[in-house]
mmCIF file of all heavy atoms in Angstrom:
data_model
loop_
_atom_site.group_PDB
_atom_site.id
_atom_site.type_symbol
_atom_site.label_atom_id
_atom_site.label_comp_id
_atom_site.label_asym_id
_atom_site.label_seq_id
_atom_site.Cartn_x
_atom_site.Cartn_y
_atom_site.Cartn_z
ATOM 1 N N ALA A 306 123.746 85.995 120.021
ATOM 2 C CA ALA A 306 122.783 85.317 120.897
ATOM 3 C C ALA A 306 122.215 86.296 121.921
ATOM 4 O O ALA A 306 122.897 87.210 122.376
ATOM 5 C CB ALA A 306 123.454 84.150 121.615
ATOM 6 N N SER A 307 120.957 86.077 122.281
ATOM 7 C CA SER A 307 120.314 86.916 123.287
ATOM 8 C C SER A 307 120.534 86.379 124.697
ATOM 9 O O SER A 307 120.412 87.124 125.668
ATOM 10 C CB SER A 307 118.811 87.018 123.008
ATOM 11 O OG SER A 307 118.577 87.612 121.757
ATOM 12 N N ASP A 308 120.849 85.076 124.816
ATOM 13 C CA ASP A 308 121.108 84.490 126.128
ATOM 14 C C ASP A 308 121.872 83.190 125.950
ATOM 15 O O ASP A 308 122.016 82.673 124.830
ATOM 16 C CB ASP A 308 119.812 84.250 126.899
ATOM 17 C CG ASP A 308 120.008 84.391 128.407
ATOM 18 O OD1 ASP A 308 121.149 84.206 128.881
ATOM 19 O OD2 ASP A 308 119.019 84.684 129.096
ATOM 20 N N PHE A 309 122.360 82.640 127.068
ATOM 21 C CA PHE A 309 123.257 81.488 127.040
ATOM 22 C C PHE A 309 122.946 80.652 128.278
ATOM 23 O O PHE A 309 122.938 81.171 129.399
ATOM 24 C CB PHE A 309 124.701 82.017 127.080
ATOM 25 C CG PHE A 309 125.763 80.980 126.979
ATOM 26 C CD1 PHE A 309 126.241 80.559 125.751
ATOM 27 C CD2 PHE A 309 126.334 80.426 128.134
ATOM 28 C CE1 PHE A 309 127.256 79.627 125.670
ATOM 29 C CE2 PHE A 309 127.344 79.486 128.057
ATOM 30 C CZ PHE A 309 127.800 79.079 126.810
ATOM 31 N N VAL A 310 122.666 79.344 128.108
ATOM 32 C CA VAL A 310 122.359 78.463 129.248
ATOM 33 C C VAL A 310 123.183 77.185 129.144
ATOM 34 O O VAL A 310 123.565 76.756 128.046
ATOM 35 C CB VAL A 310 120.854 78.108 129.318
ATOM 36 C CG1 VAL A 310 120.016 79.344 129.605
ATOM 37 C CG2 VAL A 310 120.389 77.437 128.036
ATOM 38 N N PHE A 311 123.441 76.573 130.315
ATOM 39 C CA PHE A 311 124.227 75.344 130.346
ATOM 40 C C PHE A 311 123.325 74.126 130.477
ATOM 41 O O PHE A 311 122.267 74.175 131.108
ATOM 42 C CB PHE A 311 125.215 75.376 131.524
ATOM 43 C CG PHE A 311 126.306 76.399 131.359
ATOM 44 C CD1 PHE A 311 126.330 77.547 132.145
ATOM 45 C CD2 PHE A 311 127.309 76.210 130.422
ATOM 46 C CE1 PHE A 311 127.328 78.485 132.005
ATOM 47 C CE2 PHE A 311 128.321 77.143 130.271
ATOM 48 C CZ PHE A 311 128.328 78.286 131.060
ATOM 49 N N LYS A 312 123.754 73.058 129.865
ATOM 50 C CA LYS A 312 123.085 71.771 130.018
ATOM 51 C C LYS A 312 123.683 71.029 131.213
ATOM 52 O O LYS A 312 124.882 71.188 131.500
ATOM 53 C CB LYS A 312 123.278 70.928 128.746
ATOM 54 C CG LYS A 312 122.438 71.357 127.568
ATOM 55 C CD LYS A 312 122.669 70.394 126.408
ATOM 56 C CE LYS A 312 121.659 70.513 125.321
ATOM 57 N NZ LYS A 312 121.869 69.516 124.261
ATOM 58 N N PRO A 313 122.924 70.150 131.862
ATOM 59 C CA PRO A 313 121.502 69.892 131.597
ATOM 60 C C PRO A 313 120.642 71.090 131.975
ATOM 61 O O PRO A 313 120.831 71.692 133.036
ATOM 62 C CB PRO A 313 121.190 68.682 132.469
ATOM 63 C CG PRO A 313 122.187 68.752 133.582
ATOM 64 C CD PRO A 313 123.434 69.334 132.980
ATOM 65 N N VAL A 314 119.721 71.419 131.076
ATOM 66 C CA VAL A 314 118.918 72.624 131.243
ATOM 67 C C VAL A 314 117.807 72.390 132.259
ATOM 68 O O VAL A 314 117.083 71.398 132.182
ATOM 69 C CB VAL A 314 118.308 73.041 129.886
ATOM 70 C CG1 VAL A 314 117.385 74.243 130.079
ATOM 71 C CG2 VAL A 314 119.402 73.361 128.892
ATOM 72 N N ARG A 315 117.694 73.312 133.218
ATOM 73 C CA ARG A 315 116.534 73.322 134.107
ATOM 74 C C ARG A 315 115.424 74.077 133.387
ATOM 75 O O ARG A 315 115.569 75.248 133.047
ATOM 76 C CB ARG A 315 116.877 74.008 135.434
ATOM 77 C CG ARG A 315 117.896 73.244 136.275
ATOM 78 C CD ARG A 315 118.305 74.026 137.519
ATOM 79 N NE ARG A 315 117.144 74.409 138.347
ATOM 80 C CZ ARG A 315 116.731 75.662 138.505
ATOM 81 N NH1 ARG A 315 117.373 76.655 137.894
ATOM 82 N NH2 ARG A 315 115.691 75.914 139.280
ATOM 83 N N PHE A 316 114.323 73.383 133.106
ATOM 84 C CA PHE A 316 113.279 73.958 132.282
ATOM 85 C C PHE A 316 112.703 75.244 132.887
ATOM 86 O O PHE A 316 112.338 76.172 132.164
ATOM 87 C CB PHE A 316 112.166 72.947 132.039
ATOM 88 C CG PHE A 316 112.543 71.874 131.049
ATOM 89 C CD1 PHE A 316 111.774 70.717 130.941
ATOM 90 C CD2 PHE A 316 113.649 72.009 130.225
ATOM 91 C CE1 PHE A 316 112.105 69.733 130.025
ATOM 92 C CE2 PHE A 316 113.996 71.026 129.308
ATOM 93 C CZ PHE A 316 113.225 69.876 129.212
ATOM 94 N N GLU A 317 112.608 75.291 134.224
ATOM 95 C CA GLU A 317 112.077 76.495 134.850
ATOM 96 C C GLU A 317 112.992 77.690 134.582
ATOM 97 O O GLU A 317 112.529 78.808 134.331
ATOM 98 C CB GLU A 317 111.927 76.292 136.362
ATOM 99 C CG GLU A 317 110.858 75.297 136.773
ATOM 100 C CD GLU A 317 111.323 73.840 136.585
ATOM 101 O OE1 GLU A 317 112.525 73.632 136.270
ATOM 102 O OE2 GLU A 317 110.488 72.937 136.750
ATOM 103 N N GLU A 318 114.305 77.452 134.622
ATOM 104 C CA GLU A 318 115.256 78.524 134.319
ATOM 105 C C GLU A 318 115.149 78.927 132.859
ATOM 106 O O GLU A 318 115.159 80.125 132.518
ATOM 107 C CB GLU A 318 116.681 78.067 134.624
ATOM 108 C CG GLU A 318 117.737 79.125 134.275
ATOM 109 C CD GLU A 318 119.159 78.596 134.377
ATOM 110 O OE1 GLU A 318 119.337 77.431 134.777
ATOM 111 O OE2 GLU A 318 120.080 79.368 134.044
ATOM 112 N N LEU A 319 115.034 77.932 131.977
ATOM 113 C CA LEU A 319 114.915 78.221 130.551
ATOM 114 C C LEU A 319 113.669 79.062 130.270
ATOM 115 O O LEU A 319 113.701 79.999 129.463
ATOM 116 C CB LEU A 319 114.858 76.918 129.745
ATOM 117 C CG LEU A 319 114.713 77.075 128.228
ATOM 118 C CD1 LEU A 319 115.922 77.801 127.643
ATOM 119 C CD2 LEU A 319 114.540 75.712 127.557
ATOM 120 N N LEU A 320 112.564 78.740 130.950
ATOM 121 C CA LEU A 320 111.327 79.488 130.751
ATOM 122 C C LEU A 320 111.501 80.944 131.175
ATOM 123 O O LEU A 320 111.025 81.861 130.477
ATOM 124 C CB LEU A 320 110.183 78.834 131.533
ATOM 125 C CG LEU A 320 108.814 79.518 131.405
ATOM 126 C CD1 LEU A 320 108.350 79.540 129.956
ATOM 127 C CD2 LEU A 320 107.788 78.805 132.283
ATOM 128 N N LEU A 321 112.188 81.178 132.282
ATOM 129 C CA LEU A 321 112.424 82.550 132.729
ATOM 130 C C LEU A 321 113.258 83.320 131.709
ATOM 131 O O LEU A 321 112.975 84.488 131.409
ATOM 132 C CB LEU A 321 113.137 82.540 134.086
ATOM 133 C CG LEU A 321 112.296 82.110 135.293
ATOM 134 C CD1 LEU A 321 113.172 82.018 136.533
ATOM 135 C CD2 LEU A 321 111.145 83.089 135.535
ATOM 136 N N ARG A 322 114.277 82.646 131.190
ATOM 137 C CA ARG A 322 115.132 83.302 130.192
ATOM 138 C C ARG A 322 114.366 83.558 128.890
ATOM 139 O O ARG A 322 114.520 84.605 128.254
ATOM 140 C CB ARG A 322 116.376 82.452 129.923
ATOM 141 C CG ARG A 322 117.324 82.394 131.120
ATOM 142 C CD ARG A 322 118.490 81.462 130.862
ATOM 143 N NE ARG A 322 119.369 81.366 132.014
ATOM 144 C CZ ARG A 322 120.441 82.125 132.207
ATOM 145 N NH1 ARG A 322 120.743 83.058 131.324
ATOM 146 N NH2 ARG A 322 121.189 81.960 133.279
ATOM 147 N N LEU A 323 113.522 82.599 128.500
ATOM 148 C CA LEU A 323 112.716 82.757 127.288
ATOM 149 C C LEU A 323 111.761 83.940 127.433
ATOM 150 O O LEU A 323 111.619 84.766 126.517
ATOM 151 C CB LEU A 323 111.939 81.468 127.010
ATOM 152 C CG LEU A 323 110.958 81.504 125.832
ATOM 153 C CD1 LEU A 323 111.675 81.831 124.527
ATOM 154 C CD2 LEU A 323 110.211 80.170 125.718
ATOM 155 N N LYS A 324 111.104 84.033 128.582
ATOM 156 C CA LYS A 324 110.188 85.146 128.812
ATOM 157 C C LYS A 324 110.914 86.485 128.771
ATOM 158 O O LYS A 324 110.398 87.476 128.244
ATOM 159 C CB LYS A 324 109.475 84.970 130.153
ATOM 160 C CG LYS A 324 108.416 83.875 130.153
ATOM 161 C CD LYS A 324 107.745 83.769 131.510
ATOM 162 C CE LYS A 324 106.618 82.737 131.488
ATOM 163 N NZ LYS A 324 105.952 82.613 132.818
ATOM 164 N N ARG A 325 112.137 86.507 129.340
ATOM 165 C CA ARG A 325 112.913 87.754 129.321
ATOM 166 C C ARG A 325 113.278 88.155 127.903
ATOM 167 O O ARG A 325 113.162 89.325 127.515
ATOM 168 C CB ARG A 325 114.189 87.601 130.157
ATOM 169 C CG ARG A 325 115.017 88.883 130.244
ATOM 170 C CD ARG A 325 116.347 88.654 130.917
ATOM 171 N NE ARG A 325 117.186 87.718 130.166
ATOM 172 C CZ ARG A 325 117.866 88.042 129.066
ATOM 173 N NH1 ARG A 325 117.800 89.274 128.569
ATOM 174 N NH2 ARG A 325 118.607 87.149 128.462
ATOM 175 N N VAL A 326 113.717 87.166 127.112
ATOM 176 C CA VAL A 326 114.086 87.449 125.722
ATOM 177 C C VAL A 326 112.873 87.945 124.933
ATOM 178 O O VAL A 326 112.967 88.901 124.155
ATOM 179 C CB VAL A 326 114.696 86.190 125.063
ATOM 180 C CG1 VAL A 326 114.813 86.371 123.541
ATOM 181 C CG2 VAL A 326 116.064 85.893 125.659
ATOM 182 N N LEU A 327 111.721 87.306 125.142
ATOM 183 C CA LEU A 327 110.507 87.728 124.432
ATOM 184 C C LEU A 327 110.073 89.130 124.852
ATOM 185 O O LEU A 327 109.614 89.924 124.021
ATOM 186 C CB LEU A 327 109.379 86.726 124.679
ATOM 187 C CG LEU A 327 109.508 85.382 123.949
ATOM 188 C CD1 LEU A 327 108.484 84.385 124.475
ATOM 189 C CD2 LEU A 327 109.339 85.574 122.437
ATOM 190 N N LYS A 328 110.231 89.444 126.141
ATOM 191 C CA LYS A 328 109.871 90.776 126.616
ATOM 192 C C LYS A 328 110.787 91.833 126.012
ATOM 193 O O LYS A 328 110.322 92.888 125.535
ATOM 194 C CB LYS A 328 109.946 90.829 128.139
ATOM 195 C CG LYS A 328 109.533 92.185 128.711
ATOM 196 C CD LYS A 328 109.568 92.169 130.234
ATOM 197 C CE LYS A 328 109.130 93.532 130.793
ATOM 198 N NZ LYS A 328 109.146 93.544 132.274
ATOM 199 N N GLU A 329 112.096 91.555 126.004
ATOM 200 C CA GLU A 329 113.046 92.500 125.411
ATOM 201 C C GLU A 329 112.794 92.644 123.916
ATOM 202 O O GLU A 329 112.906 93.741 123.360
ATOM 203 C CB GLU A 329 114.473 92.034 125.665
ATOM 204 C CG GLU A 329 114.903 92.181 127.119
ATOM 205 C CD GLU A 329 116.345 91.791 127.339
ATOM 206 O OE1 GLU A 329 117.003 91.335 126.369
ATOM 207 O OE2 GLU A 329 116.833 91.926 128.471
#
Side-chain angles (χ1 to χ4, degrees):
S307 299
D308 211 335
F309 183 88
V310 294
F311 292 109
K312 285 183 166 183
V314 176
R315 293 175 55 248
F316 285 165
E317 292 77 7
E318 178 189 357
L319 179 63
L320 180 60
L321 288 174
R322 292 176 182 267
L323 175 59
K324 287 181 176 180
R325 183 187 63 78
V326 168
L327 287 169
K328 182 178 181 180
E329 289 183 356

